[in-house]
Amino acid sequence: MVGKVSSSKLERDEGLKRTDNNMDFSSWPQVDNINQKNYYTEFLKRDDQVLALRLQQEERLNARKKAAVDIDRARAQAAHEGLPFTEPDPDLDEDVAMDDGGSDYGSKNIIIHVGSQNMRIGLATDALPKTVPMVIAKRSARSEAEDSEPRPKRMKLDDSAPSEEWFGDDFAREYNGMAEDFKRYRRGNKRRVLPNSRDLVTKWNSTNPPDRIPEHSDHSRIDWTELPANPAKAPDYIVGHAALRIPENSRPRYQLHWPIRHGWLNERDYHNRNMLESDFFRILEETIKTELDLAHKKDWNQYSCVFIIPDLYEKVMVAKVLDEFIREFGFQRVCFMQESLAATFGAGYGAACMVDMGAQKTSISCVEDGMVIEESRVNLKSGGYDVTETFVKMMLFDRFNYADFNLMRRHDFLLAEELKEAYTTMSDENISVQLYDFYLRAFGQETRKYSFKIYDEGMLAPLGFFRPSIFDFSDRLVGRHKLIPRSIDLYSGHPNDPMSPAQLSVIAFVNQAIPSAVMAAPAKPARLFPTPISATPNKPTQPRPLGIPSHLNGDREATPLSSPAGSPPPPTEETTGTPHPQPTNEETNPDDTTLDLKTTQPDTETLDRTIPVMPLDQAILTSIHHGSMGDDRRRREFMGSIMLIGGASKTPHLGPYLEMRLRAAMPMFPKDILVAPPPRELDPSVLVWKGGSVFGKLRMTNDSWIGRVEYDRLGARILNYKCMWHW
């Protein structure tokens, strides 16, 4: 047996010697393991590593260099001419020192606030904006009245059918229920109630035909939009006020298109996304050219734009607006601002609960210290147009002598707006059977003077803000997301648009209390082979956080839990529209239900099928409850600074009536609740735009502006660094 031979013997006897050639085992670089207990990175930890901030710093540095050169030049010029030179104050604010503007600072800033029915636009230095209808008329074979069913929708179009059956049993039941509650409310206020008031109205309206006035005797004739005698020379489209004054039977025909509906892009009436977006930006472009006297697009690169967006916005739409303004419009800079924050700028409030009541949506948010509280944002899809339509329905229900009322006709739509502004109120002091008249002016027809009577329709129609079940929600979600997809998070796959716990509370309330605002679920395809019934017991469901409804948590229990803002009140109180509500347990103790909805992903299918509507007073309390976050001091501060803004808020006596309902719902705060109009007698409908103009004139807003260089390098990602809120 041979033993182990030592290396020295092998080297001596066999001549074998190990040599090392200093070569590595592999050409791959060897990386040492990181010490997990002590490692550090500086990635995106400094401002100069963020492109948006670095470009801003470079801009400020260049401005300081330019200012220093200007000072040296002025000093040398003064010395050459023998004049004294005053050195600038070194303690002066940097941005103010670099600013070379004077009293007209902001004259190059365009402020745009787009609504569903009207758009406000103007320069930051203007006292008031220009109000332009958000509509475009395009040449078509048929007008919108000829191409769609009449509005309000009639269940029975037969003229021989009684008016009580025109709108179905549901509307008749709601209307009669509101009328009975209104009688009890008036008796409680010691008002005189005649038992036959409705009969007096229907009898007069059904037996009094209109008087006809020749056109040459009418001193208030309408100036209709004139079209060329040759139809071939007629323009392809008309924008704004002129579009609403085009005759119905014009040659050629024009059809009205509204790109914005209920705060969303109007996907229901369009069949092409490019056409929808083209109409939207064409209205903006033509309005800038005509209303702001900027006819040449080449001059727009000298102007900046502040675009006001909703509190609960859609990211796809905001990114599209930014791209269009930078690339197509050629603006020098663009800034986005939320509506509620702009309203506080216009009103001069530091903390407030802003209730923006528009034509087709109502936004409620709590603002504190220049920031919109994200948890408090509420967006209701109802507004002044719903009151207009309901007012017309109520008058037609009471045999209104102009039975051919159709809101799809242009002159009828303008007439309905005039009637609503003239005869709706939230005060029952002067509610009685009264005689009024109006003039119907249609192109090519004699002016007709109608004398009509109304009783409680003028108050019951705006009372729909507190009883939204009277509104028609049948086609509000038709075509939703059929053209423009929802923004989806690339990592989680969940919807990426902002959502708030207060808005989820509204969704939960609708699913429990207003079935008419929940659209039917789409039919699922039938299985080829039915799922067999398993004999094994089902897997136990995971416990759900307190207060989260089952339809928002993913499971489908038979009895959903209460909403975060409180269970729906009994049908005899809030949901019946009683003018003087009684407080509910949830409202008197809003802190009894505590939950955290930040970690809960909403059911996308449920959100797409639910129209967010809620009684106005309850929606305000829901927003304040989530905005205060359990802090009693903040709750009292928000309740004492509730401000009604928007065109629909100009309904007479709406503020005192809302304050009365809030005091009845929250009796523990008898002196803290205050609903105030805008200060300094500002028009509520332009307050948001006014706040945007104030912001556009500030000199300390450089962090919010997005320039061309930044957008070219980062695209829509620049919004993560430039928005004044969490994007």
Side-chain angles (χ1 to χ4, degrees), residues 587-614:
E587 291 172 339
T588 55
N589 299 286
D591 292 333
D592 291 346
T593 304
T594 60
L595 77 161
D596 185 11
L597 284 174
K598 294 182 179 179
T599 59
T600 304
Q601 291 293 341
D603 188 351
T604 304
E605 181 181 353
T606 302
L607 294 177
D608 288 340
R609 294 191 295 106
T610 306
I611 304 170
V613 291
M614 180 184 274

Side-chain angles (χ1 to χ4, degrees), residues 283-345:
I283 295 175
L284 297 181
E285 180 179 345
E286 294 298 325
T287 303
I288 293 175
K289 290 180 179 179
T290 57
E291 299 294 337
L292 302 183
D293 296 331
L294 298 176
H296 301 290
K297 211 170 182 179
K298 62 181 181 180
D299 298 333
W300 294 5
N301 57 4
Q302 304 175 10
Y303 288 81
S304 303
C305 179
V306 177
F307 192 82
I308 302 174
I309 62 175
D311 301 331
L312 289 176
Y313 50 87
E314 292 185 327
K315 289 190 174 183
V316 174
M317 182 59 188
V318 177
K320 182 62 179 178
V321 170
L322 175 60
D323 181 80
E324 192 77 13
F325 281 0
I326 293 293
R327 300 195 183 279
E328 299 298 331
F329 285 35
F331 287 142
Q332 181 182 11
R333 297 180 302 173
V334 179
C335 175
F336 293 99
M337 192 176 188
Q338 293 175 297
E339 288 179 339
S340 296
L341 179 60
T344 57
F345 270 78

Side-chain angles (χ1 to χ4, degrees), residues 565-587:
S567 303
T572 57
E573 296 179 359
E574 284 290 336
T575 57
T576 58
T578 305
H580 196 85
Q582 298 297 325
T584 61
N585 293 333
E586 293 284 352
E587 291 172 339

Side-chain angles (χ1 to χ4, degrees), residues 388-407:
T388 302
E389 185 177 10
T390 304
F391 184 49
V392 174
K393 290 174 68 173
M394 289 180 176
M395 292 192 298
L396 292 174
F397 188 88
D398 294 338
R399 300 180 184 180
F400 192 51
N401 43 11
Y402 180 37
D404 195 28
F405 218 123
N406 182 9
L407 293 177

Side-chain angles (χ1 to χ4, degrees), residues 115-371:
S116 298
Q117 187 165 311
N118 294 305
M119 172 179 58
R120 272 86 187 186
I121 186 172
L123 299 175
T125 53
D126 294 340
L128 293 174
K130 309 291 193 308
T131 301
V132 180
M134 196 65 190
V135 62
I136 180 173
K138 297 192 294 185
R139 296 180 61 167
S140 176
R142 307 176 63 185
S143 65
E144 67 277 4
E146 299 170 342
D147 202 31
S148 58
E149 61 179 331
R151 299 295 297 261
K153 294 182 178 179
R154 274 82 160 176
M155 298 296 180
K156 294 183 179 181
L157 298 178
D158 188 6
D159 295 338
S160 61
S163 59
E164 292 81 0
E165 301 179 1
W166 283 1
F167 308 108
D169 297 335
D170 294 339
F171 177 79
R173 190 183 308 110
E174 290 284 341
Y175 183 27
N176 293 329
M178 293 179 68
E180 292 298 326
D181 294 338
F182 182 67
K183 290 181 181 180
R184 292 193 293 268
Y185 172 69
R186 286 179 59 83
R187 292 191 184 101
N189 287 346
K190 308 301 181 182
R191 308 288 188 190
R192 182 183 179 184
V193 178
L194 298 178
N196 61 338
S197 299
R198 182 71 61 81
D199 297 334
L200 296 176
V201 172
T202 56
K203 183 178 180 180
W204 172 273
N205 291 340
S206 59
T207 57
N208 284 272
D211 298 332
R212 297 186 178 273
I213 302 175
E215 185 177 1
H216 62 272
S217 300
D218 187 6
H219 300 287
S220 301
R221 295 188 298 270
I222 296 177
D223 295 331
W224 301 97
T225 301
E226 296 183 2
L227 298 175
N230 186 2
K233 297 182 179 180
D236 294 333
Y237 59 87
I238 301 176
V239 172
H241 293 286
L244 293 176
R245 291 301 186 185
I246 300 176
E248 295 284 343
N249 55 350
S250 62
R251 295 182 62 250
R253 287 283 197 277
Y254 282 86
Q255 187 173 119
L256 298 186
H257 297 270
W258 301 82
I260 300 293
R261 278 303 191 202
H262 310 292
W264 296 322
L265 285 175
N266 185 11
E267 301 174 79
R268 182 191 67 185
D269 299 333
Y270 282 84
H271 304 285
N272 184 278
R273 177 178 179 177
N274 292 333
M275 187 63 67
L276 172 58
E277 295 176 348
S278 175
D279 286 353
F280 174 77
F281 291 110
R282 183 176 287 125
I283 295 175
L284 297 181
E285 180 179 345
E286 294 298 325
T287 303
I288 293 175
K289 290 180 179 179
T290 57
E291 299 294 337
L292 302 183
D293 296 331
L294 298 176
H296 301 290
K297 211 170 182 179
K298 62 181 181 180
D299 298 333
W300 294 5
N301 57 4
Q302 304 175 10
Y303 288 81
S304 303
C305 179
V306 177
F307 192 82
I308 302 174
I309 62 175
D311 301 331
L312 289 176
Y313 50 87
E314 292 185 327
K315 289 190 174 183
V316 174
M317 182 59 188
V318 177
K320 182 62 179 178
V321 170
L322 175 60
D323 181 80
E324 192 77 13
F325 281 0
I326 293 293
R327 300 195 183 279
E328 299 298 331
F329 285 35
F331 287 142
Q332 181 182 11
R333 297 180 302 173
V334 179
C335 175
F336 293 99
M337 192 176 188
Q338 293 175 297
E339 288 179 339
S340 296
L341 179 60
T344 57
F345 270 78
Y349 277 32
C353 178
M354 288 294 174
V355 184
D356 186 0
M357 305 177 66
Q360 298 181 4
K361 71 176 180 64
T362 299
S363 301
I364 306 172
S365 295
C366 295
V367 184
E368 185 179 32
D369 296 335
M371 293 292 293

